[in-house]
Amino acid sequence: MVRRSISIAFIIWVLSFLFLYNTLNSIADPMWILIFLVPPILFLVMSEKTTFLLFIAFTVISSLTILGMAFVWKWDSYTQIEWVMLHALVLVNLWSVYVLAKWSTSLSRDNKRLLSRVIELEEYIADTKLLSKREFEKQKEIIVTSMDRKKEKGFLLYIGIEKLPRRVKQTSFVKVSNVIYESVRKHFDIVGKYDDQVIVCLLQNTDEDGLEIVKNRIISRLKIIYTPEAFDKLQWNTEGIGYIEFPASKEGQQI
């Protein structure tokens, strides 16, 4: 329904624009037509409420201006009708631009939200072996319940990339997640997305020594890809899980 309405608005805009261009080109400087480039830009960058108020304000002000011109210059009936029709066509053109801009923005926003939802529901993050946050939490709950029943303990290992330089951060999420995945036990441990800048790894049925072994394995591989300056900006946090609870390490603790 929305797409059909957009198509209709687009046809109205094209027809009204062509008619206005031919009309104004014969009575005014051709450069004046550039004014029709301004409304689409405003409608795209401003909020819907602001652009609607601008549209109403323009309608009222332009109507009063034409009415005043008619009285001052004593237009005859033919001239008045000509300007009324021209004014109506301008308003139709602006309305179609407003509809196109707002509905296009709305569709773009909806598409982004749907894409985000699809990614959230996917089992793995694209181009990685990283579990989505939703899937990680689901598997984590099952694993921790099993560890409690078997009286096993384990750890959650968090690695944050938020302090990395922007040029490095763009590709670091995939790189770090792949390194972690290759450093843990495939059939026992899981690696997932904690948020957009933090990767979390669940190590089940292991102790402090096992945690250190995994950390050292990850560190040795990360040092191959990162400079010492970039590596030092990675943030490491651990949290005990399972049958015996361990106190979480201090926020931002680095190795």
Side-chain angles (χ1 to χ4, degrees):
M1 182 65 181
V2 174
R3 290 184 178 179
R4 183 179 178 183
S5 300
I6 290 178
S7 300
I8 295 173
F10 179 74
I11 293 172
I12 293 174
W13 174 79
V14 171
L15 294 176
S16 60
F17 178 83
L18 291 175
F19 187 87
L20 285 170
Y21 181 83
N22 291 329
T23 303
L24 295 174
N25 199 34
S26 62
I27 64 174
D29 190 320
M31 292 299 293
W32 191 83
I33 203 65
L34 291 177
I35 195 172
F36 288 101
L37 298 177
V38 176
I41 297 174
L42 293 179
F43 290 157
L44 285 172
V45 300
M46 291 185 173
S47 66
E48 185 173 354
K49 183 178 180 180
T50 302
T51 52
F52 180 74
L53 291 175
L54 285 175
F55 181 75
I56 297 300
F58 175 81
T59 302
V60 173
I61 294 172
S62 60
S63 299
L64 293 176
T65 301
I66 292 176
L67 182 62
M69 291 167 60
F71 276 109
V72 172
W73 292 340
K74 296 183 175 21
W75 287 345
D76 56 34
S77 298
Y78 177 80
T79 305
Q80 291 180 35
I81 293 174
E82 188 179 47
W83 275 92
V84 167
M85 293 180 63
L86 182 63
H87 181 249
L89 201 55
V90 169
L91 293 181
V92 168
N93 182 267
L94 287 178
W95 171 83
S96 61
V97 170
Y98 173 81
V99 170
L100 286 172
K102 290 305 136 188
W103 282 350
S104 297
T105 302
S106 177
L107 283 176
S108 176
R109 187 167 54 246
D110 289 344
N111 285 338
K112 288 181 180 178
R113 185 171 62 250
L114 288 173
L115 179 61
S116 175
R117 181 61 176 164
V118 168
I119 292 174
E120 179 185 341
L121 293 176
E122 284 181 341
E123 184 177 352
Y124 292 97
I125 305 298
D127 300 324
T128 71
K129 294 295 185 179
L130 198 66
L131 294 173
S132 66
K133 183 177 178 65
R134 184 172 182 270
E135 183 65 21
F136 181 87
E137 290 297 328
K138 185 170 68 174
Q139 293 195 27
K140 170 190 167 187
E141 184 177 351
I142 297 173
I143 292 172
V144 171
T145 300
S146 174
M147 290 169 63
D148 285 335
R149 187 176 65 253
K150 297 176 181 178
K151 296 184 178 182
E152 297 174 349
K153 58 184 179 180
F155 290 91
L156 289 175
L157 174 62
Y158 301 88
I159 302 179
I161 62 172
E162 58 266 32
K163 291 189 176 181
L164 289 176
R166 182 177 300 178
R167 67 181 185 280
V168 179
K169 190 186 298 184
Q170 292 176 348
T171 58
S172 287
F173 197 88
V174 173
K175 287 182 179 179
V176 174
S177 63
N178 287 336
V179 165
I180 298 174
Y181 180 79
E182 294 299 328
S183 303
V184 299
R185 299 167 298 179
K186 301 297 183 297
H187 302 293
F188 294 93
D189 307 323
I190 59 174
V191 184
K193 175 182 178 180
Y194 182 76
D195 61 33
D196 289 339
Q197 301 188 83
V198 179
I199 301 161
V200 58
C201 172
L202 186 153
L203 306 174
Q204 64 171 309
N205 191 21
T206 192
D207 54 16
E208 289 85 350
D209 292 336
L211 172 65
E212 288 304 315
I213 290 173
V214 174
K215 279 185 178 180
N216 291 332
R217 196 180 298 155
I218 295 172
I219 289 170
S220 64
R221 293 179 178 180
L222 288 178
K223 283 185 174 180
I224 297 174
I225 356 178
Y226 289 113
T227 63
E229 295 78 10
F231 176 82
D232 289 340
K233 292 183 182 296
L234 294 174
Q235 294 188 296
W236 303 72
N237 296 286
T238 56
E239 176 186 347
I241 56 172
Y243 182 67
I244 299 177
E245 293 293 335
F246 299 91
S249 64
K250 292 184 180 180
E251 183 69 23
Q253 180 181 351
Q254 298 187 354
I255 298 177

